[in-house]
Amino acid sequence: MNANMQEEQKKEAIKRLKQLTSKFNLNPKILEDYKNGIVYCSANDKLHDVTTNNCFYKKVKKFEEEYNAVVYYCFLNRFYYMFTGMTFFTLLFVSNDKEEWETERVEENYIFSYVYNLTYKDCSEFGNVIIGSTKDGVLVRFQ
């Protein structure tokens, strides 16, 4: 990945985290720690440093390398559909295509992401997800 582009992507990630912090009243620690290289994952309405979980950290790094993207936040969720539980690892990221940046940002409560379907791996995909926040300022995924 081009170092200049990666730096621009990180600046854009900071811009997006500022926007999310303002819109959803997020814990300011999320943005401040991101500036120091920490990416958070929300799971069970709590924040977790992605680098402390080798499995998820590897998924983040693999995604960044494969798509020349910069990940700035993650979600780990379990949803039920037709009595089947599925686990998802959702990545918020900045792509390497500046022309797409505006459409990747939060709009209403929708945000563009990549969703790893950990239950049915072939069903992993890019798309919009619905987000919100907890009373403790943790960004969460609703759908």
Side-chain angles (χ1 to χ4, degrees):
M1 179 185 297
N2 178 321
N4 290 334
M5 173 54 87
Q6 189 174 36
E7 196 56 40
E8 287 184 59
Q9 288 171 289
K10 287 181 180 178
K11 287 179 184 175
E12 174 67 15
I14 290 169
K15 179 179 179 177
R16 292 183 194 184
L17 282 169
K18 285 179 180 176
Q19 180 186 27
L20 292 168
T21 299
S22 175
K23 182 174 179 61
F24 295 104
N25 196 30
L26 298 185
N27 182 332
K29 173 183 174 123
I30 297 168
L31 174 59
E32 291 311 310
D33 285 352
Y34 179 80
K35 292 176 182 177
N36 294 315
I38 296 172
V39 174
Y40 281 107
C41 177
S42 66
N44 300 319
D45 297 342
K46 299 209 180 328
L47 288 176
H48 304 275
D49 178 348
V50 170
T51 61
T52 63
N53 183 309
N54 197 37
C55 175
F56 293 127
Y57 183 70
K58 283 181 180 178
K59 284 196 175 308
V60 167
K61 288 301 168 194
K62 179 181 176 193
F63 176 85
E64 288 180 330
E65 289 171 14
E66 186 173 340
Y67 294 102
N68 293 316
V70 170
V71 173
Y72 60 92
Y73 197 86
C74 312
F75 307 94
L76 181 64
N77 298 90
R78 187 155 176 84
F79 292 109
Y80 292 87
Y81 177 74
M82 304 282 290
F83 305 107
T84 301
M86 292 182 278
T87 303
F88 299 102
F89 184 55
T90 304
L91 307 178
L92 301 186
F93 66 93
V94 178
S95 72
N96 66 344
D97 186 351
K98 286 183 172 184
E99 292 180 14
E100 294 296 322
W101 287 3
E102 189 172 329
T103 62
E104 293 171 1
R105 296 181 191 129
V106 68
E107 175 86 25
E108 298 294 323
N109 286 28
Y110 292 87
I111 194 163
F112 193 69
S113 65
Y114 184 79
V115 180
Y116 279 105
N117 184 325
L118 301 177
T119 308
Y120 301 105
K121 293 176 182 29
D122 290 346
C123 296
S124 299
E125 64 185 351
F126 289 93
N128 287 309
V129 294
I130 301 172
I131 59 173
S133 63
T134 67
K135 63 179 175 32
D136 297 323
V138 176
L139 197 62
V140 292
R141 178 181 168 200
F142 293 122
Q143 186 179 15

